[in-house]
Amino acid sequence: MTELFPNLAIAYGEIFLAVGAMALLMVGVFKKDSVNAVSWLAVIMMVVTLFLTVQSSGTQSFTFNNMFVADGFTTFMKILVLVASALAVIMSREFFKLEGDDRFEFPVLVTLSAVGMMVMVSANDLMTLYMGIELQSLALYVLAAFKRDSERSTEAGLKYFVLGALSSGILLYGCSLVYGFIGSTNFTSIAAAISNLDHAPIGAIVGLVFVLAGLAFKVSAVPFHMWTPDVYEGSQTPVTAFFAVAPKVAALALLARTLYVPFGDMSGSWQQVIIFMSVASMILGSFAAIMQTNIKRLMAYSSIGHIGFALLGLVAGNSEGLRGVMIYMAIYLVMNVGTFVCIMSMRRKEDGMVEEISDLSGLGRNHPALALAISIFMFSLAGIPPLAGFFAKWYVVIPVVNAGYFTLATIAVLASVVGAYYYIRIVKVMYFDDPVEGFVEQKSYPMKIIATVAALLVIAFIIPQISSPILDSAAMAAENLSQ
């Protein structure tokens, strides 16, 4: 039965942020020199949205004819999305000022893409899923080509748009097959229909594979990763920092809900696909990064490898694995934000921002604090104990072992060992190679604060008082989705 008066309360966060983005656009267009004001208003709106999201959390609720859901899982993932989006806007301020490219469109586009990501996280219907993805993607295409007079940036935006449109077509074809063979696009109805069947229709299985292919593009999982290194390198660094975290969190949340809710009873069909994507991503991410000399391309392959590890949790197919995925993405957010703050701090007066790994030579002597921060993040990304990155991998590998996938767990450990090489190589360049010209001192206090807090969180995750709130929240949220 069609819902005449939908319950808007559980979507207050999305509604507020969407209306706010339109208001920011008007402020930016009609008020001169409004970049600073629009940026900080965007950050304030994301903080208010975060409170609205937390306020509306509780028992599982549906609205818009069961097409939109809110529960503990959506709240946890939306908090990560909003934190990552707000930090991306803050991190961009100093960078765009120094580049002479300070425009109000950046915070507006980040806000609009955050709305799309929140819709993705709450999607309970294939149509909501597609609407959220496109709302996010349209803003991201523009962000990738944000520096219009740069050939590299324009190329990155064009590549991302063309391949993104292709993945959307694949996703829609999969959705149409699922609708044709199951008779509904609603996640709850699809789950009920499949549970009443002895065997899932072959057409629905093919449709699910196409849907997975479309979502794999959004999380940069192999074999749909090809856009990632070029887009990461060609985009401006604050855009790359944003791409590396928020869209991946939203896409992984959507992937988890799609697998666990409508297709939970078809786990035998999708587990093999997820295992392949996980193993291929871990191996390619580890080996391809070794040959990189550009730090942004290295981070692109690093992100592919880390998505492979995050997918391990989904392979287990239970709440323990899902909990591991959520913890992994929370820690991944902190490590990546800290790393990109450090990358954006490396700038020379004449040449602007530097991106080559060889330019870090002697950083340990010229800028010991910056070198120390980068070392902490590199060791954590490599999974060296007792830093947070080790626990991220621990919480996704243990469910896999408990589910009996010993070979998969062994591959994950070996991939982690290979990956450690290129992270530690950066530390070696900073402390043991001959010094080159030093960088201009970082004067932005927000950037210093973000880097310091991120480094402290990475170190202090071993302390139960720091880690327990994240672990407990993730456990409750995972139970919400897998029950």
Side-chain angles (χ1 to χ4, degrees):
M1 185 177 173
T2 304
E3 203 176 21
L4 285 178
F5 300 103
N7 174 19
L8 298 180
I10 64 172
Y12 276 162
E14 286 80 356
I15 294 168
F16 173 76
L17 206 56
V19 173
M22 294 299 109
L24 287 181
L25 190 59
M26 300 293 279
V27 172
V29 170
F30 291 109
K31 190 175 182 305
K32 284 185 179 178
D33 301 325
S34 58
V35 185
N36 209 37
V38 170
S39 297
W40 287 109
L41 279 173
V43 173
I44 291 167
M45 284 193 332
M46 286 170 197
V47 173
V48 173
T49 306
L50 194 150
F51 280 109
L52 288 173
T53 304
V54 173
Q55 288 267 324
S56 65
S57 68
T59 56
Q60 192 174 58
S61 307
F62 297 90
T63 190
F64 303 123
N65 294 309
N66 288 341
M67 295 173 80
F68 188 96
V69 62
D71 53 26
F73 177 75
T74 61
T75 303
F76 188 95
M77 299 309 266
K78 284 179 187 176
I79 289 172
L80 297 186
V81 166
L82 289 166
V83 169
S85 302
L87 288 175
V89 174
I90 296 171
M91 289 158 61
S92 69
R93 296 299 307 121
E94 186 73 11
F95 178 89
F96 285 126
K97 276 184 195 170
L98 293 171
E99 289 286 314
D101 199 19
D102 209 12
R103 287 180 279 154
F104 73 88
E105 288 92 341
F106 181 81
V108 174
L109 287 166
V110 170
T111 309
L112 285 170
S113 63
V115 177
M117 290 175 213
M118 291 177 73
V119 173
M120 285 167 66
V121 173
S122 277
N124 195 51
D125 192 284
L126 292 173
M127 294 301 100
T128 319
L129 172 154
Y130 184 71
M131 191 179 75
I133 286 177
E134 288 307 299
L135 183 55
Q136 170 212 246
S137 299
L138 288 173
L140 296 184
Y141 298 147
V142 183
L143 281 173
F146 195 68
K147 194 170 185 178
R148 287 170 296 187
D149 54 354
S150 162
E151 191 177 330
R152 281 202 317 171
S153 182
T154 311
E155 183 187 344
L158 189 60
K159 277 184 182 173
Y160 193 32
F161 171 69
V162 172
L163 294 173
L166 178 66
S167 78
S168 293
I170 293 171
L171 181 74
L172 271 183
Y173 185 60
C175 293
S176 66
L177 281 175
V178 171
Y179 176 69
F181 283 88
I182 301 293
S184 176
T185 57
N186 188 268
F187 284 2
T188 312
S189 302
I190 293 171
I194 291 175
S195 66
N196 291 328
L197 297 171
D198 293 332
H199 301 287
I202 187 69
I205 296 173
V206 175
L208 172 60
V209 172
F210 275 99
V211 170
L212 286 178
L215 293 177
F217 176 89
K218 305 300 176 188
V219 295
S220 320
V222 176
F224 303 98
H225 65 285
M226 66 292 287
W227 61 274
T228 315
D230 291 341
V231 173
Y232 272 43
E233 186 183 7
S235 303
Q236 288 179 293
T237 309
V239 177
T240 309
F242 182 57
F243 279 8
V245 184
K248 288 186 188 297
V249 171
L252 207 60
L254 181 58
L255 181 60
R257 182 173 291 280
T258 305
L259 294 178
Y260 276 61
V261 178
F263 301 107
D265 288 335
M266 289 169 57
S267 57
S269 301
W270 55 255
Q271 269 177 331
Q272 300 304 316
V273 180
I274 298 296
I275 287 173
F276 168 75
M277 290 197 299
S278 174
V279 170
S281 300
M282 286 188 293
I283 292 175
L284 185 132
S286 298
F287 282 96
I290 291 174
M291 296 170 281
Q292 304 306 318
T293 57
N294 181 291
I295 198 162
K296 283 164 74 177
R297 286 187 77 86
L298 185 143
M299 290 305 293
Y301 284 106
S302 163
S303 78
I304 293 169
H306 279 282
I307 281 300
F309 279 97
L311 289 174
L312 278 178
L314 297 182
V315 172
N318 53 32
S319 61
E320 189 187 9
L322 189 60
R323 172 181 177 246
V325 175
M326 297 167 77
I327 295 167
Y328 198 97
M329 294 315 292
I331 294 173
Y332 176 78
L333 184 156
V334 176
M335 294 187 299
N336 266 270
V337 165
T339 304
F340 275 100
V341 167
C342 293
I343 292 173
M344 282 191 269
S345 302
M346 297 185 295
R347 171 178 290 279
R348 292 209 173 94
K349 268 185 185 172
E350 303 296 327
D351 305 327
M353 222 198 80
V354 296
E355 296 178 2
E356 293 301 313
I357 294 172
S358 57
D359 289 325
L360 275 64
S361 298
L363 194 70
R365 275 170 268 181
N366 296 330
H367 299 276
L370 181 60
L372 177 64
I374 294 175
S375 302
I376 290 169
F377 296 127
M378 290 300 113
F379 282 127
S380 185
L381 285 166
I384 306 291
L387 299 175
F390 168 76
F391 293 100
K393 291 179 179 173
W394 174 267
Y395 283 108
V396 290
V397 170
I398 290 301
V400 171
V401 173
N402 291 340
Y405 294 98
F406 300 112
T407 307
L408 186 57
T410 306
I411 293 171
V413 173
L414 292 175
S416 186
V417 172
V418 174
Y421 168 77
Y422 60 81
Y423 292 121
I424 294 174
R425 179 165 62 101
I426 294 177
V427 179
K428 173 253 175 192
V429 169
M430 290 191 299
Y431 285 100
F432 296 102
D433 284 10
D434 293 332
V436 293
E437 182 191 349
F439 300 120
V440 178
E441 190 182 349
Q442 173 61 259
K443 294 180 180 174
S444 169
Y445 286 108
M447 296 277 275
K448 286 181 179 176
I449 292 169
I450 292 171
T452 307
V453 171
L456 290 175
L457 284 174
V458 166
I459 296 170
F461 192 80
I462 195 171
I463 302 171
Q465 287 79 0
I466 302 292
S467 56
S468 291
I470 298 172
L471 302 182
D472 296 342
S473 303
M476 284 191 289
E479 286 294 335
N480 274 174
L481 186 63
S482 57
Q483 65 187 351

